Amino acid sequence: MVRPRNVNRHKAEKETPDWEQEAFESRTDIKKAAQAVTDLGGQLADLSPETLKTFALPDEVEAAVLTLRKLKKGPAIKRQRQFVGKLLRQNEPLLPGIKQRFLELEQAANRQNAHLHKLEKWRDRLVSEGDAALSALIDADPTLDRSHMRQLIRNAQREASAGKPPKASRQIFQYLKELYL
């Protein structure tokens, strides 16, 4: 019986090296690191122009990224992405700051999502438990409009029992969002 050569062979994934390091083990590592920098440029192009301003990029790099944002389809996108990657590699001292800023943006988004999940849990608890959950929420925040919340909770409970779309539940969430954001 002939056995295939690659059966039960495990090839460990190598981590992509940082472009900023001094020495690479192989040309493949150099290419992977250069591609990672090009991908970082693509991530910059995905940001809004206002967020891009917070990165404090040189004018040439910022203009190239904005040009990349404008392109819609075709081979020009690939060329422009490579050009942005080239500019970033030429401005190597910027890379750690850009990576750090992306990390900060990701952490801020995670905090925002966690906060919104907390508000959703409060909304679900208010609809399911009613006055008990409302009193707990009022203990946490006495400035809450008790009568308005009670009305929204009653409406949400009626909608849930009737199988209607959750309009009042959305209103509860929006009200909580206005209060706590």
Side-chain angles (χ1 to χ4, degrees), residues 90-107:
Q90 287 173 352
N91 294 301
E92 191 173 317
L94 295 174
L95 294 177
I98 291 172
K99 290 177 183 177
Q100 180 63 33
R101 183 71 180 119
F102 269 120
L103 184 64
E104 291 168 2
L105 289 174
E106 182 181 350
Q107 289 172 346

Side-chain angles (χ1 to χ4, degrees), residues 123 127 155-156 159-160 163-173:
R123 178 204 52 205
V127 172
N155 291 344
E159 288 172 354
K164 292 183 178 180
K167 179 181 176 186
S169 293
R170 287 188 205 110
Q171 289 175 338
I172 291 172
F173 181 74

Side-chain angles (χ1 to χ4, degrees), residues 34-47:
Q35 184 61 44
V37 173
T38 302
D39 293 342
L40 189 68
Q43 289 176 340
L44 284 171
D46 292 338
L47 298 174

